[in-house]
């Protein structure tokens, strides 16, 4: 097998795995009505002049399915964390009691659930676009190698292998979106 094609397959598989990981990360941010520390994963707080992830200045936990509890390492960070949550505009209201910040996660309305499902499907579609772009790159390398003397019948088999790989990852994405949709729509 051509070293160039072998290398392309390896890098293509790595990119597709990264696409799946990215989708998992993005889906974790989408609210399902249950409290989850990942709902706050994108929030940055001003820690002595440096933007720092919330999880690096506090302990974020979920004591129950409707509450997120944030305990900062330093009490002086309470107001800063509260401001960062308000500034993030994620639809959650923090309550500061001087020791902890608690966030009650309100149940989602039917309309909001449908919007969250649409958001999840849009993330899935973005991931599929990424897979198709990777497929295009891989097919270009195979076609170039065939032009440079690589056997055409083996090149066709490699093109089929690329499509099968893309189909496999597309199925994974579809399953992830279906599971997230079930999770969001569950009352």
């Amino acid at each position: 097998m051509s070293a160039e094609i072998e290398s392309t397959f390896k890098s293509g598989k790595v990119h597709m795995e990264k696409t799946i990981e990215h989708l998992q990360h993005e889906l974790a941010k989408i609210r399902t009505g249950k409290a989850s520390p990942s709902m706050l994963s994108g929030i940055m707080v001003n820690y002595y002049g440096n933007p720092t992830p919330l999880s690096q200045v506090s302990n974020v936990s979920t004591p129950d399915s409707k509450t997120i509890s944030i305990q900062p390492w330093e009490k002086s960070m309470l107001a800063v964390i509260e401001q960062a949550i308000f500034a993030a505009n994620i639809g959650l209201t923090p309550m500061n009691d001087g020791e902890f910040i608690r966030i009650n996660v309100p149940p989602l309305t039917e309309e909001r659930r449908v919007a969250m499902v649409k958001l999840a499907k849009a993330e899935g579609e973005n991931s599929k676009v990424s897979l198709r772009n990777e497929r295009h790159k891989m097919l270009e390398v195979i076609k170039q190698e065939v032009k440079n003397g690589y056997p055409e019948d083996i090149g066709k088999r490699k093109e089929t292998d690329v499509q099968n790989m893309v189909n496999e990852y597309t199925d994974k994405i579809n399953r992830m979106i279906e599971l997230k949709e079930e999770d969001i729509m569950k009352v």
Side-chain angles (χ1 to χ4, degrees):
M1 183 191 296
S2 165
E4 185 72 26
I5 292 176
E6 184 71 32
S7 165
T8 301
F9 263 79
K10 284 182 182 173
S11 75
K13 190 162 184 76
V14 166
H15 280 86
M16 290 181 193
E17 284 295 332
K18 285 182 180 176
T19 299
I20 296 293
E21 288 173 24
H22 177 74
L23 179 61
Q24 287 172 331
H25 180 72
E26 291 302 312
L27 289 179
K29 291 180 186 176
I30 297 175
R31 284 184 50 196
T32 59
K34 292 187 293 232
S36 167
S38 64
M39 293 168 74
L40 305 177
S41 66
I43 295 179
M44 302 295 270
V45 296
N46 187 1
Y47 186 65
Y48 297 108
N50 295 321
T52 308
L54 177 63
S55 62
Q56 291 183 11
V57 297
S58 64
N59 182 24
V60 181
S61 61
T62 51
D64 59 55
S65 67
K66 297 289 180 198
T67 309
I68 299 174
S69 175
I70 304 166
Q71 183 175 17
W73 308 135
E74 302 171 24
K75 283 193 179 178
S76 63
M77 292 300 296
L78 280 167
V80 176
I81 291 171
E82 197 173 15
Q83 289 292 322
I85 293 169
F86 277 122
N89 197 20
I90 55 175
L92 299 174
T93 305
M95 293 178 289
N96 182 348
D97 70 2
E99 295 283 327
F100 292 97
I101 293 176
R102 286 188 178 76
I103 300 173
N104 289 323
V105 178
L108 295 173
T109 64
E110 186 68 24
E111 182 179 294
R112 189 73 178 131
R113 288 179 192 277
V114 169
M116 291 295 174
V117 167
K118 282 183 183 176
L119 187 60
K121 287 181 177 181
E123 287 297 336
E125 197 53 45
N126 290 341
S127 296
K128 289 177 189 177
V129 168
S130 178
L131 291 181
R132 289 192 292 268
N133 289 339
E134 195 57 38
R135 175 185 63 195
H136 181 72
K137 290 177 194 171
M138 293 170 76
L139 292 177
E140 285 299 314
V141 169
I142 292 170
K143 287 176 183 171
Q144 189 59 45
E145 287 297 307
V146 167
K147 282 183 183 175
N148 295 340
Y150 193 71
E152 194 172 327
D153 59 331
I154 297 175
K156 289 289 182 197
R157 267 189 250 136
K158 291 296 163 196
E159 289 178 6
T160 302
D161 291 346
V162 168
Q163 186 58 48
N164 290 339
M165 187 187 307
V166 170
N167 290 345
E168 174 189 333
Y169 282 95
T170 301
D171 290 344
K172 284 183 183 180
I173 289 171
N174 288 337
R175 281 194 301 276
M176 289 169 68
I177 298 301
E178 285 171 16
L179 290 173
K180 188 65 177 184
E181 184 176 354
E182 285 175 19
D183 199 23
I184 291 170
M185 295 310 284
K186 194 184 315 171
V187 179

